[in-house]
Amino acid sequence: MSQSHQAQIDAFMAQVAAQNAHEPEFIQAVQEVAETVIPFIADHPQYAKHRILERMVEPERTIIFRVPWTTDSGEVQINRGYRVEFNSAIGPYKGGLRFHPTVTLSVLKFLGFEQVFKNSLTTLPLGGGKGGSDFNPKGKSDAEVMRFCQSFMTELSRHIGPNTDVPAGDIGVGGREIGYLFGQYKRLRNEFTGVLTGKGRNWGGSLIRPEATGYGTVYFAAEMLATKGQSFEGKSAVISGSGNVAQYAAEKCIHMGAKVLTMSDSKGFIHDPAGIDHAKLQWIMDLKNKRRGRIQEYVNQFPGATFHAGQRPWGIACHAAFPCATQNELNEEEAQALVNNGCIVVTEGANMPSTPEAIEVFNKAKVLFAPGKASNAGGVATSGLEMSQNSLRISWSGEEVDSRLLNIMKDIHSQCVAYGKNADGHVDYVRGANIAGFVKVADSMIDQGVV
Ligand code: NDP
């Protein structure tokens, strides 16, 4: 990178850091974009003239609210609720809700900022937003989760709508929570609309939406491997997480002929050298989704496997790695271990799971590396397809949605290649995704004037 580009990036980031002190995750997400987009803007001065990047790092609106609720024993609890409406240049705000004790404004701003680029890449008319709460659904009864969701939606309902802002699930927000949130919105507004995605099949949900993020991530990885004339057949895969994204990434890996060696949760990871097959995965889905158990219970059921408490799975040798749990869960040392053990492709199912230092290791080693904003965009893309079905009041078959998802992932991959291919043929998917996502939003912002 030239010295003048570096100076521009440093000046821009100093300003962002000063205006967003105490928001490390948000600053990290902006830094990654700035490093690739600022050199591009230098060759396209219209974006500098309209101060597009400066406007894009400022959310259009941020809502923070009190969420009071009562436990089953009648105790009053207070959590904090958020919705960050980041950018609506190309469509209504769209992005998930996260319920987890680690939720802060910084985390939601990083997720909302990334969402703007991701949604642009899907080719669908979706703006970017994100929201959630520091509420922890773990260990709560269904009735407590319901009361929390009803209280959260009582305030959120003033700010969202099918043409304004359409939230979905994320960590801690699955089908159960979306159901309670939707029920309360409908009751308050007295209207049945597609205001949330990830809905149940009987009340406006789309087939394949639960599978879409995991499936899409593996479709994207298959496209990456194809650039090297390779496929998943006979390859080994290491997956972190055991939630929605991890489960369906595992299912698609197995389906495509790979051997899945690991899954994890926040307490540690399981390693099954024989491979997690369809039947074992079904057992995990039952454990996590119905019995709400912990991944370590796997080793009691399948004795060939081992549980590694407090550790992450990146030390296990594999061809393909899929971080599918949370942000900053794969660091420099772990990236080096993956490279040393022969990993050739790293595809993010989670948002920003690799630290900047880890990404640097992958780049140096010329490992195929895809950032979540490109590779996990299948979830929001299928949410976009759910919105289309709701508007048309029709329901597509699973095959129809899956084939649209596959085509969208191929399209995102092509956009990344178009903007990210280096002279030596290696594809920098981070640069490709950032620039391709940026251009569509930036051009729309210019068209719409200074708003
Ligand atoms: P889930 O809540 O279904 O699962 C999350 C998984 O990650 C669980 O196994 C959980 O373990 C683990 N996890 C969560 N927080 C931590 C932590 N701090 N440290 C270690 N492990 C952790 O969420 P999803 O599968 O929906 O989301 C996973 C990732 O994918 C997130 O980054 C999310 O933003 C991203 N994503 C999700 C999409 C979706 O459609 N759901 C769309 C695009 C991106 P435990 O149970 O122990 O907490």
Short mmCIF file of all heavy atoms in Angstrom, two decimals, residues 98-100 102 110-111 115 118 130 138 168-173 209-210 212-214 240-247 264-267 288-289 293-294 312 323-327 329 349-353 372 376-380 383, ligand 1:
data_model
loop_
_atom_site.label_atom_id
_atom_site.label_comp_id
_atom_site.label_asym_id
_atom_site.label_seq_id
_atom_site.Cartn_x
_atom_site.Cartn_y
_atom_site.Cartn_z
N ARG A 98 -29.76 -9.82 18.53
CA ARG A 98 -28.93 -10.72 19.33
C ARG A 98 -29.27 -10.56 20.81
O ARG A 98 -29.27 -9.43 21.31
CB ARG A 98 -27.44 -10.39 19.09
CG ARG A 98 -26.50 -11.23 19.94
CD ARG A 98 -25.03 -10.97 19.63
NE ARG A 98 -24.65 -11.45 18.31
CZ ARG A 98 -23.37 -11.53 17.89
NH1 ARG A 98 -22.39 -11.15 18.69
NH2 ARG A 98 -23.11 -11.96 16.69
N PHE A 99 -29.59 -11.66 21.48
CA PHE A 99 -29.80 -11.65 22.93
C PHE A 99 -28.65 -12.41 23.56
O PHE A 99 -28.59 -13.65 23.51
CB PHE A 99 -31.13 -12.32 23.31
CG PHE A 99 -32.38 -11.61 22.87
CD1 PHE A 99 -33.62 -12.24 22.94
CD2 PHE A 99 -32.35 -10.29 22.40
CE1 PHE A 99 -34.78 -11.59 22.55
CE2 PHE A 99 -33.51 -9.63 22.01
CZ PHE A 99 -34.73 -10.28 22.07
N HIS A 100 -27.73 -11.70 24.18
CA HIS A 100 -26.56 -12.34 24.79
C HIS A 100 -25.97 -11.36 25.80
O HIS A 100 -25.96 -10.14 25.54
CB HIS A 100 -25.53 -12.69 23.70
CG HIS A 100 -24.48 -13.66 24.14
ND1 HIS A 100 -23.30 -13.26 24.72
CD2 HIS A 100 -24.43 -15.02 24.10
CE1 HIS A 100 -22.57 -14.34 25.01
NE2 HIS A 100 -23.23 -15.41 24.63
N THR A 102 -23.08 -10.45 26.34
CA THR A 102 -21.97 -9.65 25.83
C THR A 102 -22.43 -8.52 24.90
O THR A 102 -21.59 -7.80 24.34
CB THR A 102 -20.98 -10.53 25.04
OG1 THR A 102 -21.72 -11.19 23.99
CG2 THR A 102 -20.32 -11.58 25.92
N PHE A 110 -20.84 -2.70 15.22
CA PHE A 110 -19.98 -3.47 14.29
C PHE A 110 -20.85 -4.36 13.42
O PHE A 110 -20.66 -4.44 12.19
CB PHE A 110 -18.90 -4.24 15.07
CG PHE A 110 -18.93 -5.74 14.97
CD1 PHE A 110 -18.74 -6.39 13.75
CD2 PHE A 110 -19.13 -6.52 16.10
CE1 PHE A 110 -18.78 -7.79 13.68
CE2 PHE A 110 -19.17 -7.90 16.02
CZ PHE A 110 -19.01 -8.53 14.81
N LEU A 111 -21.83 -5.03 14.04
CA LEU A 111 -22.67 -5.95 13.27
C LEU A 111 -23.52 -5.18 12.25
O LEU A 111 -23.67 -5.61 11.11
CB LEU A 111 -23.56 -6.75 14.21
CG LEU A 111 -22.81 -7.81 15.06
CD1 LEU A 111 -23.68 -8.28 16.22
CD2 LEU A 111 -22.38 -9.00 14.21
N GLN A 115 -23.39 -5.39 8.21
CA GLN A 115 -24.65 -5.79 7.56
C GLN A 115 -24.94 -4.94 6.32
O GLN A 115 -25.50 -5.43 5.34
CB GLN A 115 -25.79 -5.63 8.58
CG GLN A 115 -27.06 -6.35 8.20
CD GLN A 115 -27.04 -7.82 8.56
OE1 GLN A 115 -26.63 -8.19 9.64
NE2 GLN A 115 -27.50 -8.67 7.65
N LYS A 118 -22.90 -6.48 3.58
CA LYS A 118 -23.41 -7.84 3.31
C LYS A 118 -24.70 -7.77 2.52
O LYS A 118 -24.87 -8.45 1.51
CB LYS A 118 -23.65 -8.52 4.66
CG LYS A 118 -24.14 -9.94 4.55
CD LYS A 118 -24.56 -10.49 5.91
CE LYS A 118 -23.47 -10.36 6.95
NZ LYS A 118 -23.74 -11.14 8.15
N LYS A 130 -29.07 -3.60 12.93
CA LYS A 130 -28.84 -4.70 13.88
C LYS A 130 -29.39 -4.27 15.23
O LYS A 130 -29.45 -3.07 15.52
CB LYS A 130 -27.33 -4.98 14.01
CG LYS A 130 -27.00 -6.33 14.58
CD LYS A 130 -27.03 -7.45 13.55
CE LYS A 130 -26.89 -8.80 14.18
NZ LYS A 130 -26.80 -9.88 13.19
N LYS A 138 -30.44 -18.08 28.22
CA LYS A 138 -30.04 -19.37 28.80
C LYS A 138 -30.51 -19.48 30.25
O LYS A 138 -30.34 -18.55 31.03
CB LYS A 138 -28.52 -19.52 28.78
CG LYS A 138 -28.02 -19.96 27.45
CD LYS A 138 -26.70 -20.71 27.60
CE LYS A 138 -26.00 -20.70 26.26
NZ LYS A 138 -25.11 -19.58 26.09
N ALA A 168 -34.48 -9.86 12.28
CA ALA A 168 -34.46 -11.33 12.17
C ALA A 168 -33.77 -11.87 13.42
O ALA A 168 -33.56 -11.14 14.38
CB ALA A 168 -33.71 -11.73 10.91
N GLY A 169 -33.40 -13.15 13.41
CA GLY A 169 -32.70 -13.75 14.56
C GLY A 169 -31.21 -13.57 14.47
O GLY A 169 -30.67 -13.12 13.46
N ASP A 170 -30.52 -13.89 15.52
CA ASP A 170 -29.06 -13.95 15.58
C ASP A 170 -28.76 -14.79 16.83
O ASP A 170 -29.62 -15.55 17.29
CB ASP A 170 -28.46 -12.54 15.66
CG ASP A 170 -26.94 -12.52 15.49
OD1 ASP A 170 -26.46 -12.69 14.36
OD2 ASP A 170 -26.20 -12.34 16.49
N ILE A 171 -27.60 -14.62 17.43
CA ILE A 171 -27.26 -15.40 18.62
C ILE A 171 -28.36 -15.19 19.68
O ILE A 171 -28.74 -14.05 19.97
CB ILE A 171 -25.89 -14.98 19.19
CG1 ILE A 171 -24.77 -15.42 18.23
CG2 ILE A 171 -25.67 -15.55 20.58
CD1 ILE A 171 -23.37 -14.99 18.66
N GLY A 172 -28.88 -16.29 20.22
CA GLY A 172 -29.87 -16.22 21.29
C GLY A 172 -31.27 -15.90 20.82
O GLY A 172 -32.19 -15.84 21.64
N VAL A 173 -31.45 -15.65 19.54
CA VAL A 173 -32.79 -15.38 19.01
C VAL A 173 -33.07 -16.38 17.89
O VAL A 173 -32.58 -16.23 16.77
CB VAL A 173 -32.93 -13.92 18.50
CG1 VAL A 173 -34.32 -13.67 17.94
CG2 VAL A 173 -32.64 -12.93 19.64
N ARG A 209 -35.07 -21.04 5.41
CA ARG A 209 -34.47 -19.93 6.17
C ARG A 209 -33.61 -20.44 7.33
O ARG A 209 -32.49 -19.95 7.51
CB ARG A 209 -35.54 -18.93 6.66
CG ARG A 209 -34.98 -17.81 7.56
CD ARG A 209 -33.94 -16.97 6.82
NE ARG A 209 -33.18 -16.04 7.64
CZ ARG A 209 -32.01 -16.28 8.24
NH1 ARG A 209 -31.42 -17.48 8.14
NH2 ARG A 209 -31.38 -15.34 8.90
N PRO A 210 -34.07 -21.45 8.12
CA PRO A 210 -33.19 -21.89 9.22
C PRO A 210 -31.87 -22.44 8.71
O PRO A 210 -30.82 -22.26 9.34
CB PRO A 210 -34.01 -23.00 9.90
CG PRO A 210 -35.43 -22.76 9.51
CD PRO A 210 -35.38 -22.14 8.14
N ALA A 212 -30.33 -21.56 5.90
CA ALA A 212 -29.71 -20.75 4.85
C ALA A 212 -28.31 -20.24 5.15
O ALA A 212 -27.44 -20.26 4.27
CB ALA A 212 -30.62 -19.56 4.52
N THR A 213 -28.05 -19.79 6.38
CA THR A 213 -26.72 -19.21 6.65
C THR A 213 -25.66 -20.30 6.55
O THR A 213 -24.62 -20.12 5.88
CB THR A 213 -26.69 -18.53 8.03
OG1 THR A 213 -27.77 -17.61 8.10
CG2 THR A 213 -25.39 -17.78 8.24
N GLY A 214 -25.91 -21.44 7.20
CA GLY A 214 -24.93 -22.54 7.17
C GLY A 214 -24.76 -23.10 5.77
O GLY A 214 -23.63 -23.27 5.28
N SER A 240 -16.56 -24.49 14.37
CA SER A 240 -16.79 -24.04 15.74
C SER A 240 -18.26 -23.66 15.88
O SER A 240 -18.92 -23.33 14.90
CB SER A 240 -15.92 -22.83 16.09
OG SER A 240 -16.33 -21.72 15.34
N GLY A 241 -18.75 -23.70 17.14
CA GLY A 241 -20.15 -23.42 17.40
C GLY A 241 -20.97 -24.70 17.26
O GLY A 241 -20.51 -25.70 16.68
N SER A 242 -22.19 -24.64 17.79
CA SER A 242 -23.12 -25.76 17.62
C SER A 242 -24.54 -25.20 17.57
O SER A 242 -25.50 -25.88 17.87
CB SER A 242 -22.97 -26.78 18.75
OG SER A 242 -23.02 -26.12 20.01
N GLY A 243 -24.64 -23.92 17.21
CA GLY A 243 -25.94 -23.26 17.09
C GLY A 243 -26.46 -23.36 15.67
O GLY A 243 -26.06 -24.26 14.90
N ASN A 244 -27.31 -22.44 15.31
CA ASN A 244 -27.99 -22.50 14.02
C ASN A 244 -27.01 -22.58 12.85
O ASN A 244 -27.11 -23.46 11.99
CB ASN A 244 -28.90 -21.27 13.88
CG ASN A 244 -29.49 -21.15 12.50
OD1 ASN A 244 -28.93 -20.51 11.62
ND2 ASN A 244 -30.61 -21.81 12.28
N VAL A 245 -26.05 -21.67 12.79
CA VAL A 245 -25.15 -21.61 11.63
C VAL A 245 -24.26 -22.85 11.57
O VAL A 245 -24.11 -23.48 10.52
CB VAL A 245 -24.30 -20.32 11.68
CG1 VAL A 245 -23.35 -20.26 10.50
CG2 VAL A 245 -25.19 -19.08 11.71
N ALA A 246 -23.70 -23.22 12.72
CA ALA A 246 -22.78 -24.38 12.77
C ALA A 246 -23.50 -25.67 12.37
O ALA A 246 -22.96 -26.49 11.61
CB ALA A 246 -22.21 -24.51 14.17
N GLN A 247 -24.73 -25.84 12.85
CA GLN A 247 -25.45 -27.09 12.58
C GLN A 247 -25.67 -27.29 11.08
O GLN A 247 -25.44 -28.37 10.53
CB GLN A 247 -26.81 -27.08 13.27
CG GLN A 247 -26.75 -27.17 14.78
CD GLN A 247 -28.11 -26.98 15.44
OE1 GLN A 247 -29.16 -27.07 14.81
NE2 GLN A 247 -28.10 -26.70 16.74
N SER A 264 -18.48 -27.05 18.68
CA SER A 264 -18.10 -26.49 19.99
C SER A 264 -19.25 -25.67 20.59
O SER A 264 -20.26 -25.43 19.93
CB SER A 264 -16.86 -25.59 19.83
OG SER A 264 -17.21 -24.39 19.17
N ASP A 265 -19.06 -25.27 21.83
CA ASP A 265 -19.86 -24.17 22.38
C ASP A 265 -18.95 -23.36 23.29
O ASP A 265 -17.71 -23.56 23.26
CB ASP A 265 -21.15 -24.66 23.07
CG ASP A 265 -20.91 -25.55 24.27
OD1 ASP A 265 -19.81 -25.50 24.84
OD2 ASP A 265 -21.84 -26.29 24.64
N SER A 266 -19.51 -22.45 24.07
CA SER A 266 -18.63 -21.55 24.82
C SER A 266 -17.85 -22.26 25.93
O SER A 266 -16.95 -21.68 26.51
CB SER A 266 -19.43 -20.38 25.39
OG SER A 266 -20.53 -20.87 26.11
N LYS A 267 -18.15 -23.53 26.17
CA LYS A 267 -17.43 -24.27 27.22
C LYS A 267 -16.28 -25.13 26.67
O LYS A 267 -15.47 -25.65 27.44
CB LYS A 267 -18.40 -25.17 28.01
CG LYS A 267 -19.48 -24.40 28.76
CD LYS A 267 -18.94 -23.83 30.07
CE LYS A 267 -19.99 -23.10 30.87
NZ LYS A 267 -20.14 -21.68 30.53
N LYS A 288 -29.17 -29.62 21.18
CA LYS A 288 -29.07 -28.16 21.28
C LYS A 288 -30.43 -27.48 21.14
O LYS A 288 -30.70 -26.51 21.81
CB LYS A 288 -28.11 -27.60 20.22
CG LYS A 288 -26.69 -28.11 20.30
CD LYS A 288 -26.02 -27.82 21.63
CE LYS A 288 -25.62 -26.40 21.86
NZ LYS A 288 -24.79 -26.24 23.09
N ASN A 289 -31.27 -27.98 20.23
CA ASN A 289 -32.50 -27.25 19.90
C ASN A 289 -33.68 -27.65 20.78
O ASN A 289 -34.55 -26.83 21.05
CB ASN A 289 -32.87 -27.43 18.43
CG ASN A 289 -31.70 -27.11 17.51
OD1 ASN A 289 -30.74 -26.47 17.92
ND2 ASN A 289 -31.77 -27.55 16.27
N GLY A 293 -29.14 -28.73 25.70
CA GLY A 293 -28.00 -29.29 26.45
C GLY A 293 -26.68 -28.68 26.01
O GLY A 293 -26.63 -27.73 25.22
N ARG A 294 -25.57 -29.22 26.54
CA ARG A 294 -24.23 -28.72 26.24
C ARG A 294 -23.51 -29.71 25.32
O ARG A 294 -23.71 -30.92 25.42
CB ARG A 294 -23.42 -28.54 27.53
CG ARG A 294 -24.11 -27.70 28.59
CD ARG A 294 -24.49 -26.30 28.13
NE ARG A 294 -23.32 -25.55 27.66
CZ ARG A 294 -23.40 -24.41 26.95
NH1 ARG A 294 -24.57 -23.92 26.61
NH2 ARG A 294 -22.31 -23.79 26.59
N ARG A 312 -10.67 -23.99 21.86
CA ARG A 312 -11.31 -23.83 20.56
C ARG A 312 -10.70 -24.86 19.60
O ARG A 312 -9.59 -25.34 19.85
CB ARG A 312 -11.13 -22.40 20.08
CG ARG A 312 -11.76 -21.43 21.10
CD ARG A 312 -11.81 -20.02 20.61
NE ARG A 312 -10.55 -19.33 20.59
CZ ARG A 312 -10.39 -18.03 20.88
NH1 ARG A 312 -11.43 -17.31 21.23
NH2 ARG A 312 -9.21 -17.46 20.80
N PRO A 323 -15.35 -21.01 11.11
CA PRO A 323 -15.69 -20.39 12.39
C PRO A 323 -17.16 -19.95 12.36
O PRO A 323 -17.51 -19.06 11.58
CB PRO A 323 -14.74 -19.19 12.50
CG PRO A 323 -14.01 -19.10 11.20
CD PRO A 323 -14.49 -20.16 10.28
N CYS A 324 -18.00 -20.56 13.19
CA CYS A 324 -19.45 -20.33 13.12
C CYS A 324 -20.03 -19.99 14.49
O CYS A 324 -21.22 -20.21 14.71
CB CYS A 324 -20.15 -21.58 12.58
SG CYS A 324 -19.76 -21.96 10.87
N ALA A 325 -19.22 -19.47 15.43
CA ALA A 325 -19.75 -19.18 16.77
C ALA A 325 -19.93 -17.68 17.00
O ALA A 325 -21.05 -17.18 17.07
CB ALA A 325 -18.87 -19.79 17.85
N THR A 326 -18.80 -16.92 17.07
CA THR A 326 -18.94 -15.53 17.49
C THR A 326 -17.73 -14.71 17.02
O THR A 326 -16.79 -15.25 16.43
CB THR A 326 -19.12 -15.45 19.02
OG1 THR A 326 -19.56 -14.15 19.38
CG2 THR A 326 -17.84 -15.78 19.76
N GLN A 327 -17.74 -13.40 17.34
CA GLN A 327 -16.65 -12.53 16.88
C GLN A 327 -15.34 -12.82 17.63
O GLN A 327 -15.35 -13.21 18.79
CB GLN A 327 -17.02 -11.03 17.03
CG GLN A 327 -17.24 -10.53 18.43
CD GLN A 327 -18.69 -10.66 18.87
OE1 GLN A 327 -19.49 -11.28 18.22
NE2 GLN A 327 -19.01 -10.06 20.02
N GLU A 329 -13.06 -15.14 17.55
CA GLU A 329 -12.88 -16.47 18.14
C GLU A 329 -11.74 -17.24 17.47
O GLU A 329 -11.55 -18.42 17.71
CB GLU A 329 -14.18 -17.28 18.03
CG GLU A 329 -14.70 -17.41 16.59
CD GLU A 329 -15.62 -18.59 16.36
OE1 GLU A 329 -15.33 -19.65 16.91
OE2 GLU A 329 -16.58 -18.43 15.61
N GLY A 349 -18.60 -18.41 8.93
CA GLY A 349 -20.06 -18.50 9.07
C GLY A 349 -20.54 -17.45 10.06
O GLY A 349 -21.62 -16.89 9.93
N ALA A 350 -19.71 -17.16 11.07
CA ALA A 350 -20.03 -16.13 12.06
C ALA A 350 -19.64 -14.76 11.50
O ALA A 350 -19.04 -14.65 10.43
CB ALA A 350 -19.29 -16.39 13.36
N ASN A 351 -19.98 -13.70 12.26
CA ASN A 351 -19.58 -12.35 11.87
C ASN A 351 -18.27 -11.97 12.55
O ASN A 351 -18.18 -12.04 13.78
CB ASN A 351 -20.68 -11.36 12.27
CG ASN A 351 -21.89 -11.46 11.36
OD1 ASN A 351 -21.75 -11.44 10.14
ND2 ASN A 351 -23.07 -11.60 11.93
N MET A 352 -17.27 -11.63 11.75
CA MET A 352 -15.95 -11.18 12.23
C MET A 352 -15.31 -12.15 13.24
O MET A 352 -14.73 -11.70 14.24
CB MET A 352 -16.07 -9.77 12.84
CG MET A 352 -14.82 -8.93 12.75
SD MET A 352 -15.13 -7.18 13.17
CE MET A 352 -15.25 -7.21 14.96
N PRO A 353 -15.37 -13.46 12.99
CA PRO A 353 -14.75 -14.40 13.95
C PRO A 353 -13.23 -14.36 13.94
O PRO A 353 -12.60 -14.70 14.94
CB PRO A 353 -15.27 -15.76 13.50
CG PRO A 353 -15.60 -15.60 12.06
CD PRO A 353 -16.07 -14.18 11.91
N GLY A 372 -17.06 -13.09 6.74
CA GLY A 372 -18.48 -13.40 6.95
C GLY A 372 -19.42 -12.52 6.15
O GLY A 372 -20.47 -12.98 5.71
N ASN A 376 -21.40 -15.48 4.82
CA ASN A 376 -22.60 -15.85 5.60
C ASN A 376 -23.83 -15.05 5.17
O ASN A 376 -24.85 -15.04 5.86
CB ASN A 376 -22.35 -15.77 7.12
CG ASN A 376 -22.24 -14.34 7.65
OD1 ASN A 376 -22.82 -13.41 7.10
ND2 ASN A 376 -21.51 -14.18 8.74
N ALA A 377 -23.75 -14.41 3.99
CA ALA A 377 -24.85 -13.56 3.53
C ALA A 377 -26.08 -14.36 3.09
O ALA A 377 -27.13 -13.79 2.83
CB ALA A 377 -24.38 -12.67 2.38
N GLY A 378 -25.94 -15.68 3.03
CA GLY A 378 -27.08 -16.51 2.61
C GLY A 378 -28.27 -16.41 3.57
O GLY A 378 -29.42 -16.55 3.15
N GLY A 379 -27.99 -16.14 4.85
CA GLY A 379 -29.07 -16.03 5.82
C GLY A 379 -29.93 -14.82 5.53
O GLY A 379 -31.16 -14.93 5.37
N VAL A 380 -29.29 -13.68 5.40
CA VAL A 380 -30.09 -12.47 5.16
C VAL A 380 -30.69 -12.50 3.75
O VAL A 380 -31.79 -12.00 3.52
CB VAL A 380 -29.27 -11.18 5.42
CG1 VAL A 380 -28.22 -10.93 4.38
CG2 VAL A 380 -30.21 -9.97 5.52
N SER A 383 -33.73 -14.32 4.09
CA SER A 383 -34.70 -13.43 4.75
C SER A 383 -35.33 -12.50 3.71
O SER A 383 -36.53 -12.22 3.75
CB SER A 383 -34.02 -12.57 5.81
OG SER A 383 -33.84 -13.29 7.01
P1 NDP B 1 -26.74 -19.47 18.02
O1 NDP B 1 -27.16 -18.74 19.23
O2 NDP B 1 -27.69 -20.42 17.38
O3 NDP B 1 -25.37 -20.26 18.30
C1 NDP B 1 -24.23 -19.60 18.73
C2 NDP B 1 -23.12 -20.62 18.98
O4 NDP B 1 -21.91 -19.92 19.24
C3 NDP B 1 -23.38 -21.51 20.18
O5 NDP B 1 -22.75 -22.74 19.99
C4 NDP B 1 -22.70 -20.71 21.31
O6 NDP B 1 -22.30 -21.49 22.42
C5 NDP B 1 -21.49 -20.15 20.60
N1 NDP B 1 -21.10 -18.87 21.21
C6 NDP B 1 -21.86 -17.75 21.34
N2 NDP B 1 -21.18 -16.79 21.98
C7 NDP B 1 -19.98 -17.31 22.26
C8 NDP B 1 -18.82 -16.81 22.91
N3 NDP B 1 -18.78 -15.57 23.40
N4 NDP B 1 -17.74 -17.64 23.01
C9 NDP B 1 -17.77 -18.90 22.50
N5 NDP B 1 -18.86 -19.43 21.87
C10 NDP B 1 -19.92 -18.65 21.76
O7 NDP B 1 -26.29 -18.32 16.97
P2 NDP B 1 -26.12 -18.41 15.40
O8 NDP B 1 -25.65 -19.76 15.01
O9 NDP B 1 -27.35 -17.86 14.78
O10 NDP B 1 -24.97 -17.33 15.14
C11 NDP B 1 -23.58 -17.66 15.14
C12 NDP B 1 -22.80 -16.59 14.42
O11 NDP B 1 -23.28 -16.48 13.07
C13 NDP B 1 -22.89 -15.17 15.01
O12 NDP B 1 -21.67 -14.50 14.77
C14 NDP B 1 -23.99 -14.53 14.15
O13 NDP B 1 -23.90 -13.12 14.14
C15 NDP B 1 -23.64 -15.12 12.80
N6 NDP B 1 -24.73 -15.10 11.81
C16 NDP B 1 -25.92 -15.71 12.06
C17 NDP B 1 -26.90 -15.69 11.10
C18 NDP B 1 -28.17 -16.44 11.27
O14 NDP B 1 -28.93 -16.52 10.28
N7 NDP B 1 -28.46 -17.03 12.40
C19 NDP B 1 -26.73 -14.93 9.84
C20 NDP B 1 -25.39 -14.42 9.62
C21 NDP B 1 -24.45 -14.47 10.62
P3 NDP B 1 -23.10 -21.36 23.79
O15 NDP B 1 -24.39 -22.10 23.56
O16 NDP B 1 -22.22 -22.00 24.81
O17 NDP B 1 -23.32 -19.89 24.04
#
